[in-house]
């Protein structure tokens, strides 16, 4: 990886923009901002800056564009595809000071800075009787800006959609320093090309997001949560499509393989579950709404569906504490699996009905290449997180054989009309698999868009697009 | 307007692609395909072709790109912004033979050709227990391809979103003839730049849509429909935001000024309504779901809200026939207003709460410039259709003064954080107002995208972007 050196004069100019106390050259700070939650990568920026506002970010971009120095926008560094890694060094631009949250009750909108923590935004909305549904597992630490950049999903996407479905308008600083609003603060918009949705999911490569206008919903007052143990993993997957075909849209429908739930229980230490030895997987199913009677009726319908498969006794979470414990367990699974071994996580997504085929295929490919995988994820969306575990595999196997297996997994997802990433983004680690999903002409169009917005390729370079293009 | 002449050799080449019986040079056919529902414009293409499939469309595009001849994709010509008008002549490409509808029950998806009629797609989905919510007033004649191109909305957008929220994947023929799929058939996707949403709402300027993969929902079994007469128009607008703030999300929330409903009743002839003389406006409100008790409870809550304003007796539609009659009335209002006079329709949209300010402003601007307007639309979305009536205004006033008034109306919408078009698109008639909503730099980015996809500017040229750029 080539790291572009930063001219000394530029440090002074940056300091003039952000002030001395918001520019950092020390190795501790740079290392801190040089990693995220993606495997064990470390790519420290040459300098870290923490601008106060949109105007300062605009000045930084103009300066960087003049000197052709890379800038990487950095949020909470909870990303799983390496999107915030400063792989070419340069300026690490932390947006952390832009963390305001304003709830517009009159229009059911939230106006937030990119560094607003997702959970804090959700709670601010709830306090006004409003609901921001997107709910990534990392919501306690991830930020709305990062959620927008990666088009994050989470457990409630199955009923409520992903981040992109809530973004109405964005204020963005372009790589050349211009500030634009991508759209309008309206629920509908057919006015020119949709730059809002082009920016969502562009992983900080087309602009620095400085303000987000989000749609909010009236909050729901009730929910019912149940945990269903399946004796066969594939039947758990089959049950997912069956629930929808019965006319139910759950507010969450999560799949966990046995290892995932066991490792989660062990990692947490605080949850007790009595699981039979021959249970292979669980579905965690939630329905929500304002009328308890309706929810009980829906839960009964769901029971009618899952009882057609080989299941053990269903656990209904009766209290808020029980619900919180089950959700905590689900949220911690990723961290638990990762604490166990070196790993690579793939964010496969297929049409919902193909989930059993995908799961079976992943296991067969693992057998072929000699790796174990732990799978869990948002089954209602067909979104399966495949965690490939290094365990006691040799380094040579890990480096040379596993990528071949990953390629086969992605080829399988694409053959099922799915794709590489449902909600984590492509970033640094999946970019060289992009040829599986897209033709060269298609990738050239994406590259053309990148060049149009960022003619000097300074904003988060080396992400999304494959190296050879 | 410059019309580019078509070389004779090209006619032969086109005939070789589509076959003699699907190429038309006669003036009747060309005139027929030379207008839509936008004012009284007529821009016939030089030739009309009706290709059979994606491959033929690709060959047509390659040919046109080589000869640098304009191609205008033509759907059902129900558009209200002139998007399908062949303003530079050239090839009128009717997609009407690509009208297949496949309902994928297993994945709750529909796979349709661009020429599938919206209502037929809805009915095909319903027959399988599924629901396609977007519901433009012209659904009986408009096509899904046109809906995608314009990002059409309709009455149910307020609860269920617009066309863009259902499009999962598109097959598209690019202006250079390449065929791509923009995304994957999945509910979530964070894999590269979102070309699906760039294509949606691009009004046939970036590619010819040849196949659409749509998300479907389980159908709802029940709904409640009520018509609320208000003594003051602005109070009707105020009630809209109040309903949402009471925690209700209606499945439709339509606003009609007195003239709109009167003209609709007269135009239809079949609906009897007993409306007091001093009623200024109506709200048509629907809630839907699977549990009648819940819907009655929600209807009661809505009554509690609207009764805080000066209203007359609320009409509940008790039977399917009554519901259909009210919806027919609402759907026909546009046509009724247009049958009455030469008109210009503006598709203004603002944040919901600003609707009373917009309505008041539109009337004040009308008074200033001497025009009458009839307003109606999807008030739940803040989307107000402003029909400016020529009546007995002089041609000079109509040509010179009215556009100044329209500019002021758009300036008002933008100042309220709204924009020019909620669901009709910019097309031919609004393009020279785009500078109100966007900076020059922003428009240059849009132009850059157009040039990237269509380097010879042959696909639907002269639309969306202002003449001077």
């Amino acid at each position: 990886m080539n790291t572009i050196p930063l001219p000394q004069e530029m440090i002074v100019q940056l300091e003039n923009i952000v002030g001395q106390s918001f520019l950092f050259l020390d190795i501790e700070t740079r290392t801190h901002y040089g990693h995220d939650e993606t495997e064990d990568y470390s790519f420290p920026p040459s300098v870290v800056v923490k601008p106060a506002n949109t105007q300062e970010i605009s000045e930084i971009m103009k300066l960087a564009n003049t000197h052709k120095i890379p800038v990487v926008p950095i949020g909470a560094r909870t990303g799983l595809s390496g999107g915030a890694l400063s792989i070419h060094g340069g300026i690490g631009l932390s947006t952390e000071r832009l963390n305001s949250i304003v709830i517009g009750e009159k229009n059911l909108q939230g106006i937030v800075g990119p560094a607003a923590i997702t959970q804090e935004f959700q709670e601010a909305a709830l306090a006004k009787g409003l609901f921001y549904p997107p709910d990534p597992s990392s919501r306690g630490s991830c930020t709305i800006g990062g959620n927008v950049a990666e088009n994050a999903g989470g457990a409630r996407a199955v009923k409520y959609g992903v981040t992109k479905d809530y973004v109405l308008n964005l204020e963005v600083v372009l790589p050349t320093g211009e500030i634009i609003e991508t759209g309008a603060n309206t629920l509908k918009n057919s006015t020119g090309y949709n730059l809002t949705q082009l920016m969502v999911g562009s992983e900080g490569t087309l602009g620095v997001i400085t303000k987000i206008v989000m749609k909010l919903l009236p909050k729901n007052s009730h929910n019912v949560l149940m945990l269903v143990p399946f004796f066969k993993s594939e039947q758990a997957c089959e049950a997912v499509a069956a629930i929808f075909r019965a006319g139910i849209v759950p507010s969450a429908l999560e799949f966990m393989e046995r290892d995932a739930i066991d490792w989660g229980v062990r990692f947490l230490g605080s949850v007790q579950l009595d699981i039979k030895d021959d249970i292979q997987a669980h579905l965690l199913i939630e329905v929500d709404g304002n009328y308890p009677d309706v929810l009980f009726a829906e839960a009964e319908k769901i029971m009618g569906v899952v009882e057609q498969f080989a299941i053990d006794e269903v656990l209904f979470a009766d209290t808020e504490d029980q619900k919180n414990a089950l959700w905590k367990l689900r949220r911690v699974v990723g961290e638990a699996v990762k604490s166990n071994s070196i790993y690579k996580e793939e964010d496969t997504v297929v049409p919902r009905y193909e989930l059993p085929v995908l799961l079976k295929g992943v296991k067969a490919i693992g057998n072929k290449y000699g790796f174990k995988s732990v799978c869990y994820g948002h089954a209602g969306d067909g979104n399966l997180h495949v965690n490939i575990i290094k365990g006691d595999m040799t380094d040579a196997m890990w480096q040379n054989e596993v990528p071949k297996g990953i390629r086969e997994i992605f080829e399988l997802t694409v053959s099922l009309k799915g794709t590489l990433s449902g909600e984590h983004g492509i970033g640094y680690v999946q970019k060289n698999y992009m040829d599986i999903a897209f033709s060269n002409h298609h990738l050239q169009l994406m590259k053309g868009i990148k060049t149009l917005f960022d003619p000097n390729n300074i904003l988060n370079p080396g992400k999304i697009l494959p190296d050879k293009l």
Side-chain angles (χ1 to χ4, degrees), chain A:
Chain A
M1 209 64 52
N2 299 319
T3 300
I4 295 150
L6 219 58
Q8 185 54 40
E9 62 173 292
M10 222 185 131
I11 302 286
V12 178
Q13 290 166 319
L14 282 171
E15 215 171 72
N16 286 341
I17 296 169
V18 296
Q20 205 179 355
S21 32
F22 296 107
L23 181 143
F24 304 86
L25 289 163
D26 61 289
I27 184 66
E28 290 78 11
T29 306
R30 294 193 294 111
T31 304
H32 180 74
Y33 286 90
H35 70 89
D36 61 6
E37 295 293 325
T38 313
E39 305 179 31
D40 52 356
Y41 290 111
S42 174
F43 290 103
S46 315
V47 59
V48 172
V49 290
K50 302 183 181 179
N53 53 41
T54 306
Q55 198 51 48
E56 287 186 10
I57 293 173
S58 166
E59 288 174 41
I60 293 166
M61 290 315 304
K62 281 179 191 164
L63 184 67
N65 196 40
T66 306
H67 291 276
K68 300 192 172 55
I69 295 294
V71 178
V72 177
I74 299 175
R77 299 168 302 103
T78 57
L80 295 165
S81 57
L85 300 177
S86 297
I87 59 169
H88 295 290
I91 301 167
L93 191 162
S94 168
T95 58
E96 67 197 72
R97 291 169 73 199
L98 286 75
N99 62 355
S100 63
I101 296 177
V102 177
I103 304 299
E105 297 158 82
K106 294 192 304 186
N107 285 314
L108 281 70
Q109 294 180 354
I111 300 183
V112 291
I117 302 286
T118 305
Q119 187 170 352
E120 290 176 11
F121 176 46
Q122 288 176 325
E123 285 167 2
L126 268 182
K128 305 270 186 176
L130 299 174
F131 180 30
Y132 176 68
D135 196 38
S137 292
S138 55
R139 68 173 184 153
S141 51
C142 65
T143 59
I144 294 291
N147 294 174
V148 173
E150 302 297 321
N151 191 17
R156 273 150 192 142
V158 60
K159 177 170 177 180
Y160 292 104
V162 296
T163 306
K164 89 174 202 312
D165 301 307
Y166 292 83
V167 180
L168 301 179
N169 198 2
L170 294 170
E171 181 188 76
V172 170
V173 178
L174 298 172
T176 45
E178 281 89 1
I179 302 163
I180 65 166
E181 287 197 6
T182 54
N185 295 7
T186 56
L187 292 169
K188 301 161 111 174
N189 194 339
S190 291
T191 311
Y193 301 139
N194 193 340
L195 298 196
T196 306
Q197 293 300 336
L198 188 60
M199 211 50 82
V200 175
S202 68
E203 309 194 40
T205 65
L206 299 181
V208 183
I209 296 162
T210 50
K211 194 166 71 184
I212 302 119
V213 182
M214 287 288 195
K215 175 173 84 168
L216 298 172
L217 303 178
K219 74 167 177 164
N220 288 313
S221 50
H222 293 84
N223 60 60
V224 171
L225 185 66
M226 55 180 110
L227 185 69
V228 187
F230 285 79
F231 289 100
K232 297 277 173 211
S233 288
E234 277 169 63
Q235 287 196 359
C237 289
E238 284 167 32
V240 170
I243 289 167
F244 285 87
R245 289 165 75 191
I248 310 275
V249 181
S251 52
L253 212 176
E254 299 285 303
F255 169 85
M256 288 174 280
E257 274 198 313
R258 180 62 186 260
D259 277 342
I261 207 162
D262 279 354
W263 293 11
V265 167
R266 218 160 38 229
F267 187 82
L268 267 188
S270 58
V271 177
Q272 296 291 332
L273 285 176
D274 187 21
I275 307 173
K276 287 212 178 79
D277 285 348
D278 46 354
I279 288 297
Q280 287 187 351
H282 286 78
L283 290 182
L284 181 66
I285 309 172
E286 185 195 78
V287 287
D288 73 352
N290 286 312
Y291 300 90
D293 290 353
V294 167
L295 299 183
F296 294 136
E298 290 193 334
E300 243 174 68
K301 262 200 198 175
I302 291 172
M303 282 298 294
V305 174
V306 295
E307 278 170 356
Q308 294 165 21
F309 301 91
I311 61 168
D312 198 19
E313 206 174 325
V314 174
L315 170 69
F316 281 85
D318 287 323
T319 63
E320 279 308 300
D321 280 354
Q322 281 185 4
K323 287 176 187 174
N324 289 337
L326 283 182
W327 273 118
K328 199 170 170 188
L329 175 62
R330 167 59 192 89
R331 285 186 206 286
V332 90
V333 162
E335 212 179 325
V337 170
K338 282 150 204 174
S339 74
N340 229 291
S341 162
I342 292 177
Y343 69 95
K344 286 181 187 289
E345 177 165 359
E346 311 310 329
D347 178 34
T348 59
V349 62
V350 291
R352 189 188 290 142
Y353 186 80
E354 306 290 1
L355 207 57
V357 184
L358 175 63
L359 184 69
K360 203 172 162 182
V362 165
K363 297 300 174 183
I365 293 165
N367 286 339
K368 177 174 165 190
Y369 289 96
F371 60 75
K372 176 185 166 74
S373 62
V374 180
C375 298
Y376 58 92
H378 315 299
D381 308 317
N383 187 195
L384 190 73
H385 299 322
V386 179
N387 278 261
I388 298 171
I389 305 301
K390 181 155 186 277
D392 49 13
M393 187 182 279
T394 65
D395 286 351
M397 286 279 283
W398 186 246
Q399 305 289 349
N400 304 323
E401 292 306 300
V402 168
K404 291 181 202 163
I406 294 173
R407 184 160 273 272
E408 279 194 31
I409 290 171
F410 285 144
E411 282 166 353
L412 174 64
T413 62
V414 171
S415 76
L416 297 171
K417 303 297 289 175
T419 192
L420 312 186
S421 173
E423 56 177 22
H424 294 172
I426 295 302
Y428 173 60
V429 291
Q430 321 294 4
K431 63 180 175 172
N432 288 319
Y433 300 107
M434 286 285 274
D435 64 295
I436 300 169
F438 301 107
S439 67
N440 182 60
H441 187 83
H442 198 138
L443 291 171
Q444 291 293 348
L445 281 177
M446 288 192 192
K447 189 177 178 182
I449 290 170
K450 170 66 174 164
T451 305
L452 176 68
F453 280 76
D454 185 10
N456 293 317
N457 193 29
I458 58 156
L459 190 63
N460 210 0
K463 305 291 168 67
I464 299 180
L465 297 168
D467 291 326
K468 288 181 201 154
L469 188 66

